[in-house]
Amino acid sequence: MIIDHPLLGPRDAAEFVYLGDASLIDRPDWQDEDAARQFHDYLHVRDNPAGEHRELWFHEHGDRSWLVVTRNTLTHEIIRVELARDVALSLGRGR
Amino acid sequence: MSDATLAARTPLDAYGRTIGTVTLAEVAGLALVSAAVPHDGDEAFAAALADGFGAVRPASGDSATGARPATRVLGMQPDQVFILFEAPDPDQAVPTAAAALGSAAYVTDQSDSWAVLRMSGTGVRVALERICPLDLDDLAFPEGRVARTVMEHLAVMILRDGPDSFLLMSPRSSARSFRHAVELSVENVSGP
């Protein structure tokens, strides 16, 4: 499997480490009223789609960047690759 | 007090060997530091790199030469470069780099952590393409390109520093295994 890194171009999947669902970058606010409930969902509740899935990959043997990869779990086709930093910034995060 | 003295050893014991048309040679004694850029410090870092090393800040995957002898700035990741340079005394790598960059970067010594091997000669890419997962074609990986990747399960930084010359850096702790992997790959393409 080849992941087309936004900065470095196509790289072998062996250079990457998989983490999991991309929603992990949206950590809940621990001061919210229902923080316990939110953290329960954040940690344990996942969709398990047969089709497009957004997931986090770490380029460990590369430029050490976190990527948000949109992958089809049925065909392994990689539809989109973004820097997790850009995704977080677009969600209004400071860094 | 004992008058015993310790002799410095290089990661590959000054290894050098020519197999067919490919020459492998350890490069020792160079200073290597990582320079991490503080948050929102990109402009200050580029200016400090130009002042201190006479080099343009390279993007990830690119490298730049500088005014000091043997200087090569390697763009390793978005907020960090590695700087390879000749220091009068490699033990002075960090003080030298810190003096050159001031407070524009967080500098860490890497000099003794990496085994550095130059692989050169015609046919070098034929030997490399068997262990290196990157496309090393002239168009995809021209002179000056640099990358961190994995060869035979070992982490490697690879810099193309000539048409038929590559500088390979791998962690010192697994340097002998790395040398063996590279050597075997060259032997495999060099005929009987």
Side-chain angles (χ1 to χ4, degrees):
Chain A
M1 196 164 79
I2 303 282
I3 295 177
D4 194 2
H5 192 292
L7 300 176
L8 304 173
R11 293 298 195 97
D12 194 282
E15 293 182 359
F16 296 83
V17 177
Y18 175 80
L19 179 70
D21 195 293
S23 66
L24 285 168
I25 50 181
D26 300 319
R27 179 187 283 271
D29 186 343
W30 65 275
Q31 287 180 308
D32 278 356
E33 287 271 316
D34 60 341
R37 175 81 221 164
Q38 287 187 44
F39 268 101
H40 171 275
D41 292 353
Y42 172 78
L43 284 172
H44 302 298
V45 180
R46 295 278 182 278
D47 290 335
N48 187 20
E52 280 194 23
H53 187 226
R54 293 180 84 226
E55 50 203 26
L56 286 168
W57 289 75
F58 179 54
H59 198 189
E60 183 174 27
H61 290 294
D63 75 343
R64 308 280 165 93
S65 56
W66 283 97
L67 304 179
V68 175
V69 176
T70 308
R71 181 175 64 94
N72 188 315
T73 57
L74 296 175
T75 62
H76 290 310
E77 182 195 0
I78 290 176
I79 295 128
R80 191 163 61 252
V81 185
E82 304 153 277
L83 290 173
R85 171 188 294 197
D86 293 344
V87 173
L89 288 172
S90 73
L91 292 171
R93 295 252 298 272
R95 54 200 294 184
Chain B
M1 218 173 88
S2 165
D3 55 2
T5 53
L6 297 174
R9 290 177 65 186
T10 62
L12 293 172
D13 285 331
Y15 169 80
R17 193 180 157 199
T18 298
I19 307 162
T21 60
V22 176
T23 299
L24 300 170
E26 181 180 21
V27 179
L30 285 177
L32 180 65
V33 299
S34 67
V37 184
H39 192 47
D40 286 335
D42 290 305
E43 276 179 35
F45 179 66
L49 203 57
D51 278 354
F53 284 94
V56 175
R57 182 183 177 187
S60 294
D62 269 325
S63 69
T65 52
R68 290 167 181 268
T71 297
R72 186 74 86 149
V73 184
L74 314 171
M76 300 315 298
Q77 59 194 65
D79 293 321
Q80 190 193 76
V81 299
F82 272 40
I83 309 171
L84 197 62
F85 60 101
E86 233 166 57
D89 172 2
D91 284 343
Q92 294 299 306
V94 162
T96 307
L101 296 173
S103 60
Y106 306 118
V107 178
T108 309
D109 194 5
Q110 305 273 343
S111 310
D112 285 336
S113 313
W114 298 84
V116 186
L117 188 67
R118 177 168 282 113
M119 193 168 171
S120 58
T122 53
V124 67
R125 278 188 294 155
V126 179
L128 267 176
E129 70 189 11
R130 280 158 174 75
I131 51 169
C132 177
L134 300 175
D135 182 0
L136 298 178
D137 185 82
D138 287 336
L139 292 172
F141 205 82
E143 213 175 314
R145 285 296 282 180
V146 65
R148 199 196 291 259
T149 185
V150 60
M151 299 185 197
E152 290 288 340
H153 313 284
L154 298 167
V156 181
M157 293 190 288
I158 176 169
L159 165 74
R160 188 170 194 173
D161 66 349
D164 285 313
S165 178
F166 292 84
L167 207 60
L168 308 177
M169 288 168 265
S170 196
R172 182 178 188 136
S173 52
S174 48
R176 283 159 192 267
S177 302
F178 173 66
R179 183 197 66 194
H180 178 247
V182 173
E183 200 173 47
L184 200 63
S185 187
V186 179
E187 284 172 354
N188 284 343
V189 297
S190 296

